[in-house]
């Protein structure tokens, strides 16, 4: 359990809060490329860390992420005209560029230099494999964009979905640090494709390791005369990297589930996946069918996730379709911001506890002016082979470090080109 003070500290992310300050020091997903697909197309609203923003792609393809409310008298720039390298407010025609410069104030007398004295909120962006990331922290502290493996593979080797989770970001993120729920919440009575999860023991042994990027999470289950081991990773500040879990030997890539606060009671869940050596097939992204065009979930709290009680008896543990909705039901039904003074943590929550500790410690350190970990400043060290996720059967009685080495070598053998190319690029 957490004290009331720590629960507030770790869940509140508006400007000026300790956790808000911490998350703002990293690049986080802000929107999908598909939301502003073409130059001069309509802008998109972006709610991020309690801030109301609008994104647009200008005539030269540059991306702007600027304050939604016009610097003049606050009209929403979502309704603005995206034209000739700027977004023009519909009220009195003020025009803003991607850097927040006020280009024109046409209702002012000609010759006025009023515009030059103004600057509008604007944040740097970086687009990679269908996701537009943003940095909302102090400019002088901006790190390099981290070249995670999922941002470096060819576009057709990766996929991404986005949806709104109607609760605090931490509830979603904690679900990624909790391997034991796979044996229950996601259990299928009919699908045999992931036997080690469903048929091995439901109480995995956990190991955790604090690292330079966050926390490595290891869950080990007995399965016949072997161990079924799942390596996951919490990566600062809101990334949960998990084995995709569709088959036993998952070495070809993994999924990254990201929970970016929209405000304190909503977050954006981005599910990014990638393969190291092959193109993604459309049917692999079955999750898309669960998401409405406005990124709300088809199955949500208001329709009880369309739970089917008959299915719950015969098909799966919840009677609800799709992992995405299992997670949504479990985490949203805790309430918008769960009161962690009321919980009762067990041995199975070891990884959740490790991640909370890491986040709380780094947020408190930052308040004491200690720089957070995993901010990339050196281009020669902008790659991360040690952030790796696997689900695999391995011999018993090896310490987890040996299992990690064993699987890293196996993955390198399976994808020599990918690893060689990455190493070469980094050297
Ligand atoms: S409120 Fe935007 S130009 Fe006046
Ligand atoms: Fe889950």
């Amino acid at each position: 359990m957490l004290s009331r003070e720590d629960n507030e500290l770790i869940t509140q992310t508006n400007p000026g809060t300790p956790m808000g300050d911490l998350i703002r020091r990293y690049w986080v997903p802000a929107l999908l490329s598909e939301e502003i697909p073409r130059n001069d197309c309509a802008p998109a609203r972006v709610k991020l860390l309690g801030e109301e923003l609008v994104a647009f792609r200008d005539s030269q393809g540059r991306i702007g992420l600027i304050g939604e409310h016009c610097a003049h008298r606050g009209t929403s720039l979502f309704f603005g005209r995206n034209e000739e390298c700027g977004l023009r407010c519909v009220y009195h025609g003020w025009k803003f560029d991607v850097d927040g410069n006020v280009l024109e104030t046409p209702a002012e007398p000609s010759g006025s230099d009023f515009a030059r004295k103004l600057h509008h909120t604007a944040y740097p962006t970086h687009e990679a494999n269908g996701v537009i990331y943003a940095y909302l922290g102090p400019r002088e502290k901006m790190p390099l964009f981290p070249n995670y493996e999922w941002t470096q593979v060819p576009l057709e080797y990766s996929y991404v979905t986005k949806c709104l989770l109607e609760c605090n970001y931490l509830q979603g993120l904690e679900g990624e640090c909790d391997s034991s729920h796979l044996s229950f919440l996601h259990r299928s009575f009919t699908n045999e494709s992931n036997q080690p999860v469903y048929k091995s023991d439901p109480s995995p042994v956990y190991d955790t390791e604090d690292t330079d990027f966050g926390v490595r999470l290891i869950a080990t289950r007995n399965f016949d005369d072997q161990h079924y081991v799942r390596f996951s990773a919490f990566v600062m500040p809101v990334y949960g990297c998990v084995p995709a879990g569709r088959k036993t030997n998952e070495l070809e890539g993994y999924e990254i589930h990201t929970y970016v606060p929209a405000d304190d009671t909503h977050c954006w869940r981005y599910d990014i996946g990638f393969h190291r050596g092959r193109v993604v097939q459309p049917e692999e992204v079955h999750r898309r069918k669960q998401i409405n065009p406005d990124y709300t979930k088809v199955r949500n709290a208001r329709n009880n996730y369309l739970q089917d009680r008959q299915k719950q008896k015969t098909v799966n543990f919840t009677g609800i379709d799709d992992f995405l909705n299992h997670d949504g039901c479990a985490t949203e039904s805790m309430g918008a911001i769960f009161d962690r003074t009321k919980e009762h943590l067990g041995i199975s929550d070891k990884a959740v506890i490790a991640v909370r500790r890491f986040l709380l410690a780094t947020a408190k350190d930052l308040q004491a002016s200690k720089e957070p970990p995993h901010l990339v400043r050196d281009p020669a060290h902008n790659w991360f082979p040690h952030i790796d996720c696997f689900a695999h059967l391995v011999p018993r009685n090896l310490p987890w470090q040996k299992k990690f080495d064993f699987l890293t070598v196996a993955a390198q053998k399976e994808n020599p080109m990918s690893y060689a190319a990455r190493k070469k690029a980094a050297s």
Side-chain angles (χ1 to χ4, degrees):
M1 96 180 206
L2 289 183
S3 67
R4 187 166 307 285
E5 296 71 35
D6 277 353
N7 198 42
E8 285 175 7
L9 190 150
I10 201 170
T11 54
Q12 295 178 357
T13 62
N14 282 354
T17 60
M19 191 55 62
D21 287 351
L22 180 66
I23 296 176
R24 279 173 173 77
R25 299 294 295 276
Y26 297 83
W27 290 90
V28 291
L31 71 161
L32 296 180
S33 301
E34 68 182 26
E35 294 181 66
I36 46 171
R38 290 174 304 282
N39 297 358
D40 291 333
C41 68
R45 279 199 183 96
V46 176
K47 186 88 184 279
L48 208 56
L49 296 158
E51 298 188 42
E52 292 177 336
L53 307 168
V54 60
F56 67 105
R57 202 182 288 270
D58 78 4
S59 313
Q60 295 176 6
R62 294 176 304 180
I63 294 168
L65 181 64
I66 66 175
E68 178 180 349
H69 299 283
C70 178
H72 180 211
R73 280 166 46 203
T75 294
S76 172
L77 293 170
F78 171 75
F79 300 102
R81 303 170 62 93
N82 186 8
E83 56 187 21
E84 293 159 6
C85 285
L87 191 58
R88 190 183 293 282
C89 179
V90 290
Y91 203 0
H92 312 96
W94 284 31
K95 185 175 176 182
F96 304 86
D97 73 6
V98 294
D99 296 318
N101 297 309
V102 183
L103 300 177
E104 296 173 23
T105 52
E108 296 299 302
S110 61
S112 161
D113 66 350
F114 187 38
R116 277 195 287 117
K117 296 182 190 142
L118 299 166
H119 192 77
H120 191 52
T121 300
Y123 295 118
T125 59
H126 181 99
E127 191 169 23
N129 278 354
V131 180
I132 298 168
Y133 298 79
Y135 172 78
L136 272 60
R139 275 308 165 97
E140 69 281 6
K141 301 280 189 186
M142 188 170 83
L144 296 175
F145 179 79
N147 289 332
Y148 296 125
E149 193 176 358
W150 64 85
T151 68
Q152 302 298 300
V153 297
L155 178 62
E156 60 275 18
Y157 287 22
S158 69
Y159 55 92
V160 59
T161 60
K162 163 185 171 176
C163 67
L164 183 67
L165 196 61
E166 297 180 59
C167 63
N168 184 261
Y169 83 98
L170 188 63
Q171 283 155 235
L173 186 61
E174 287 180 347
E176 306 302 334
C177 312
D178 164 16
S179 189
S180 65
H181 84 269
L182 291 179
S183 304
F184 304 97
L185 182 72
H186 298 310
R187 183 184 300 176
S188 167
F189 304 140
T190 55
N191 182 352
E192 295 293 300
S193 68
N194 201 2
Q195 287 192 14
V197 172
Y198 302 131
K199 295 200 171 165
S200 59
D201 65 299
S203 52
V205 173
Y206 288 95
D207 292 287
T208 66
E209 180 192 34
D210 286 3
T211 71
D212 60 315
F213 58 75
V215 187
R216 193 189 313 286
L217 314 168
I218 307 103
T220 303
R221 292 167 160 90
N222 294 318
F223 183 72
D224 296 335
D225 59 348
Q226 293 178 293
H227 271 158
Y228 175 61
V229 62
R230 294 177 65 85
F231 283 94
S232 307
F234 159 65
V235 177
M236 286 293 286
V238 287
Y239 299 96
C241 301
V242 294
R246 272 188 280 277
K247 53 182 185 160
T248 308
N249 299 337
E250 197 65 63
L251 299 176
E252 64 175 9
Y254 55 88
E255 285 197 353
I256 303 89
H257 301 167
T258 305
Y259 298 85
V260 190
D263 54 29
D264 288 346
T265 55
H266 300 80
C267 64
W268 299 108
R269 172 173 171 163
Y270 290 84
D271 287 354
I272 303 168
F274 73 95
H275 298 314
R276 293 182 168 124
R278 69 172 176 86
V279 170
V280 173
Q281 301 303 314
E283 61 273 14
E284 291 180 74
V285 201
H286 48 84
R287 212 165 284 155
R288 287 218 170 95
K289 290 194 209 122
Q290 306 297 333
I291 301 170
N292 291 314
D294 66 357
Y295 301 108
T296 55
K297 294 193 298 310
V298 173
R299 291 162 187 265
N300 55 57
R302 285 167 294 289
N303 58 30
N304 286 330
Y305 306 92
L306 303 176
Q307 186 183 37
D308 181 330
R309 295 290 185 179
Q310 191 53 37
K311 270 191 179 173
Q312 192 171 25
K313 289 197 170 80
T314 55
V315 177
N316 66 20
F317 204 73
T318 56
I320 297 169
D321 283 353
D322 204 283
F323 277 39
L324 182 74
N325 303 313
H326 307 159
D327 290 334
C329 169
T331 54
E332 290 174 333
S333 64
M334 295 170 180
I337 307 177
F338 182 57
D339 177 359
R340 290 176 178 77
T341 64
K342 295 205 163 83
E343 67 190 359
H344 300 87
L345 298 180
I347 299 290
S348 66
D349 301 302
K350 185 175 173 184
V352 169
I353 294 167
V355 169
R356 285 183 192 173
R357 275 204 190 123
F358 196 95
L359 273 171
L360 283 167
T362 49
K364 288 173 182 173
D365 280 352
L366 181 59
Q367 294 304 298
S369 300
K370 182 175 171 203
E371 282 293 286
H374 194 50
L375 296 175
V376 186
R377 309 257 176 227
D378 179 358
H381 292 99
N382 192 358
W383 73 305
F384 312 94
H386 61 315
I387 300 177
D388 222 336
C389 295
F390 316 101
H392 212 286
L393 289 170
V394 291
R396 285 197 184 210
N397 302 325
L398 289 175
W400 72 259
Q401 290 89 345
K402 283 241 164 28
K403 288 174 187 154
F404 189 77
D405 292 346
F406 176 91
L407 293 172
T408 304
V409 170
Q412 285 171 356
K413 276 190 189 145
E414 190 165 288
N415 301 283
M417 291 304 292
S418 161
Y419 274 81
R422 286 158 59 203
K423 275 191 177 148
K424 191 161 173 237
S427 62

